[in-house]
Amino acid sequence: MRVLIVEDEPALAFQLQRLLESGGFAVDVAYDGEDGWHLGDTEPYDAVVLDLGLPKLDGVSVLGRWREAGHTMPVLILTARSRWSDKMAGFNAGADDYLTKPFEMEEVLYRLRALIRRASGHAQPELACGPLRLDTNSGRVGLDGVPVQLTAQEFRILAYLMHHPGKVVSRTELMEHVYDRLFDPDSNSLEVLIGRLRRKIGPERIETIRGQGYRLAGPEAG
Amino acid sequence: MRVLIVEDEPALAFQLQRLLESGGFAVDVAYDGEDGWHLGDTEPYDAVVLDLGLPKLDGVSVLGRWREAGHTMPVLILTARSRWSDKMAGFNAGADDYLTKPFEMEEVLYRLRALIRRASGHAQPELACGPLRLDTNSGRVGLDGVPVQLTAQEFRILAYLMHHPGKVVSRTELMEHVYDRLFDPDSNSLEVLIGRLRRKIGPERIETIRGQGYRLAGPEAG
DNA sequence: CGGGCCGCTCAGCCCACGTTCAGGTTGGCG
DNA sequence: CGCCAACCTGAACGTGGGCTGAGCGGCCCG
């Protein structure tokens, strides 16, 4: 899962970045409203963490423009200690959740995961697909009940696929959601990782549709 | 475990600090309500000892603001000889326990430990996790029934992990709860301590999740 | 004042992880 | 049947995160 952080305060931005990366996300950061808006407009993020007090273009406007342009990714608003006006304006502009500073870092992780989950239509934090289980919070994966040890990247790939079971996911789509913006699109490391994943969870679970992408085999339907 | 003392009377503050440190806690002290509030607002304490009669900002207000901001750490109130109004106000503001002066020093330790235990969802003062036993009161640790000799820091680390068995605890989270505020976050002393701890309780008990943190192996169940 | 224990620092080592690369394999198509 | 593109895979590598042994200084206690 790939997220965008829009936060002007460098210390907090960095802290958030570390948090989310250690939480298993691919992360891009923007330090003002304009950059933030542009990134969110052009890159396919699974969620955004958006501060309201921003230079150049304030958070509410950023959000408003995104929504106007038809972007539907979930947005988690950060705002200074409960200022009602901000909060309301945020929701009106299309925020999905908000946190007032100061907040527990952990809280951000949980809320983000919940947002992403809901946005892809899953109620439970634990995704299931055939014999596969994936807990988005603890980051654990099980196959037929036995735990499977995955690396960070393997986990991201599997998580994205499990958020869209049965759907054909193109290589580029997968790369865009698993890597951050600096990644070289000509690399074949994704294929290598897919291979390793297959070895761990059984080759038949991830099906290759030649010329189109990959599909996670669902519980025989669809 | 890391606690905050908010107490304006220097002698008592110092006495409490020594007591809690010798009791195995990492301790910060604030001498007035404003400092106290700010520390409790920004640092992740496992519990707070809060005097009600404070300069600048009284205890009830401090507590009230914390709760308003969403902080849920347990708070043990200290108050001059049973003044009902204070006591009631304290509970209303979200206190978890209280002691009236004068009190036995030991009493503070026991109450604090009980509060922390309950806050992390443990009913018993003795934590168990696989072959590991840890008595939060006596500070004794056993592995398969045989006592294990731990140093103060080793004990704190293990105690924190055992309060959250199975959870992945990031290096920073661990540091925040095991050291006080003056600690250098770039130090690797935690790793050294983890290493020693592993040598004493068996390396496989503490699992490293690369890039994320440590996890105490539970009694085989998610 | 001396000795021992404890915790911290530092530097070097090790190894997991992501990546690259060089073939090998598969499948579509003329 | 042959060719080409898409895809897979085993091996090797560089990097950085994590581990550890050695040494130091501070503190406590005799």
Side-chain angles (χ1 to χ4, degrees), chain A residues 113 134-141 148 155, chain B residues 212 215:
Chain A
R113 286 177 182 140
L134 183 146
D135 188 318
T136 53
N137 280 329
S138 72
R140 284 202 250 199
V141 176
V148 179
F155 178 81
Chain B
Q212 313 220 104
R215 179 167 57 197

Side-chain angles (χ1 to χ4, degrees), chain A residues 90-152:
Chain A
F91 274 118
N92 282 339
D96 301 274
D97 199 354
Y98 81 105
L99 275 176
T100 59
K101 303 177 191 173
F103 43 80
E104 285 285 327
M105 280 290 137
E106 290 265 312
E107 189 81 11
V108 181
L109 269 183
Y110 285 113
R111 302 245 185 173
L112 261 191
R113 286 177 182 140
L115 285 179
I116 292 174
R117 230 167 44 219
R118 287 206 297 272
S120 65
H122 301 273
Q124 301 297 327
E126 171 160 325
L127 306 179
C129 183
L132 272 176
R133 296 280 176 284
L134 183 146
D135 188 318
T136 53
N137 280 329
S138 72
R140 284 202 250 199
V141 176
L143 178 67
D144 287 324
V146 303
V148 179
Q149 198 70 2
L150 296 186
T151 70

Side-chain angles (χ1 to χ4, degrees), chain A residues 15 18 21-24 81-82 100 102-104 106 110 138-140 149 152, chain B residues 37 41 44 65 69 71 166-168 170 172-173 176 207 209 211-212 215 222:
Chain A
Q15 220 178 342
R18 270 197 331 180
E21 280 174 354
S22 82
R81 120 184 343 281
S82 44
T100 59
F103 43 80
E104 285 285 327
E106 290 265 312
Y110 285 113
S138 72
R140 284 202 250 199
Q149 198 70 2
Chain B
W37 171 77
D41 192 44
R65 289 200 194 178
H71 299 294
K167 180 192 165 194
V168 179
S170 75
T172 42
E173 179 182 346
E176 281 173 340
E207 179 181 358
I209 289 87
Q212 313 220 104
R215 179 167 57 197

